[in-house]
Amino acid sequence: MFLEVIVALVVGVLTLWTYAFLKNYIKLKNIPAPTVWPIIGTALEFKDPEESMYIFPNLMKRLKSKTLRMHMGFRTVLVTADYTLIERVLGSPTLTHKTYFHFIPWLGHGLFTSSGDKWRKARKLITPTFHFKILEQFLDVFNSNGVILINKLKNEVGNTSVEVQTLMSRCTLDIICETAMGLSVNAQTEESSEYAKCIHDITYLVNARAFTPLYNIEWIYKRTKMHKDEQAILKVLHGHTDSVIKTRRLKLQEEADKKEVGRVAENEDDFGRKKKVPFLDMLLQSTIDGRPLNDKELRDEVSTFMFAGHDTTSVAMSFTLFAIANHPEVQKKAFDELYNIFGSDKERMCTTTDLNEMKYLEMVIKESLRMYPSAPLFSRTVSENLDYNGTVIPPGIPILFLPYSIHHDPDHFPDPEKFDPERFSPENYDGKKPFSFIPFSAGPRNCLGQKYAMMEMKCLLSMILRQFELKPASPVHKLELRSAIILKSLTGIKIQFAERKY
């Protein structure tokens, strides 16, 4: 009897898999795929899913196609580095659906994870908070946290190999907490910060789940130790955010009461100084569908700010420091530009005018984002029939985009392994193929925070370059890149810092 049940289960699973496979195979058979095995699909191609940034390009070369059909268990996924398909999907005002369900326990249904009408309303609500006049007020936050970072880096002078990503991550965490919620978690000065640890841990868990196929099945995942750990971490993170929301609500009410009796101007503190207004305060004063956001909606958006504005920026700056340290001619040009702006004054804080004059440094950052995109892959799910080279891709098919592959395609960037900021000079980069450079995605669902990120990176990197000469680590450090949710190096990102001589 037991054997009969097992046989029936196996036959049932095979039947369901065959139906799921054939349903999409018939429609997508013209798109090349590696060998497909029953149940496991194309999983044998992935000894280590985090090596997908290398596996997919190799498969594309082998199968002579920039778009592949992959079968992950019962799911069919398209993977592409084809400019035509990228432009068609990312540039579409209707193909905006995302499927990032593994983020939902942490980020809820905020701007990053939502789709359809809910996403459009959230985008309309949040877009004004990234107006350049509002972003300017955060420059003081960038500068003040940059000073703490500089003092940390001074302690590293003389060390021949310094892992920079942890230092940069703690700095950007303090900055995003202050700009998003109006308070610092002191990640740079208190290395035992529980909140900082939980942010690090939840990012790791989300990534681990995303690359573990069995954990994408909800009923299996909820019975794992990983799920139990995730719940404990989220209790801390959500509890902290909920507490901040409650405190800010009370604070805004107090300020409204003061305003009524004429004790303080709307945009000034008790001493008459212009206030820095965190994103949370702007959301607290906004409405959607004619009503204020509830606490859950506020938490979702604040958590989204925390995710989007923390590791992505710290990784981008870490790789940029590595590139500058290993290309002295680039460092000289960047420093010469900064010397023309600041002279020999190492201590002067950056202004908006200063940032606007950092043309070459911006080119350096862009070239670093080309070579080391913070998000090495991202996806959309087709929500309507999509014609692609005569094949109709049906609704429900996820398409995985590979910025790393696109950015290293010689059709778009000749000699792609060479670090050359001049690619992004006005003379060399005409922007005629905007979807060939997508470190912040592109189209209607591009990253709202890209101006914020560029301001932060230019401010902090310029402070570092004015204080230190960057040198390659000793022994020579080699990156081992892996395509997690955020690009990472298994060996860390290591350089040397020497005091800058004027």
Side-chain angles (χ1 to χ4, degrees), residues 53 57 60-61 65-67 80-86 367 369-373 402-418 423-424 429 433 435-438:
M53 60 193 296
M60 289 174 179
K61 185 177 180 179
S65 174
K66 289 186 179 181
T67 300
T80 190
D82 185 340
Y83 186 89
T84 302
L85 184 55
I86 294 164
E367 176 67 348
L369 287 170
R370 181 192 70 81
M371 290 198 72
Y372 312 109
L402 307 176
Y404 185 88
S405 294
I406 299 158
H407 292 180
H408 288 75
D409 187 335
D411 290 343
H412 306 308
F413 298 99
D415 196 5
E417 301 309 316
K418 179 182 178 182
R423 298 180 198 274
F424 292 95
Y429 189 74
K433 283 195 169 184
F435 296 92
S436 63
F437 180 63
I438 50 174

Side-chain angles (χ1 to χ4, degrees), residues 153 156-159 321 324-329 331-332 335 346 463-472 495-502:
L153 293 177
E156 302 294 345
V157 171
N159 292 335
L321 289 172
I324 292 173
N326 285 275
H327 295 85
E329 72 287 355
Q331 182 168 184
K332 183 179 185 307
F335 175 73
K346 294 182 179 182
M463 293 177 76
I464 292 170
L465 285 172
R466 286 156 58 201
Q467 292 279 349
F468 306 103
E469 181 183 354
L470 310 183
K471 298 181 179 182
I495 62 173
Q496 289 188 66
F497 293 90
E499 184 181 352
R500 174 74 66 179
K501 303 295 184 183
Y502 282 77

Side-chain angles (χ1 to χ4, degrees), residues 282-308:
M282 288 181 260
L283 293 177
L284 281 164
Q285 298 174 78
S286 301
T287 59
I288 190 166
D289 291 334
R291 61 170 178 79
L293 278 72
N294 61 42
D295 286 358
K296 174 63 167 58
E297 290 169 326
L298 288 166
R299 182 217 288 167
D300 290 349
E301 299 304 349
V302 170
S303 297
T304 297
F305 286 145
M306 296 301 301
F307 163 68

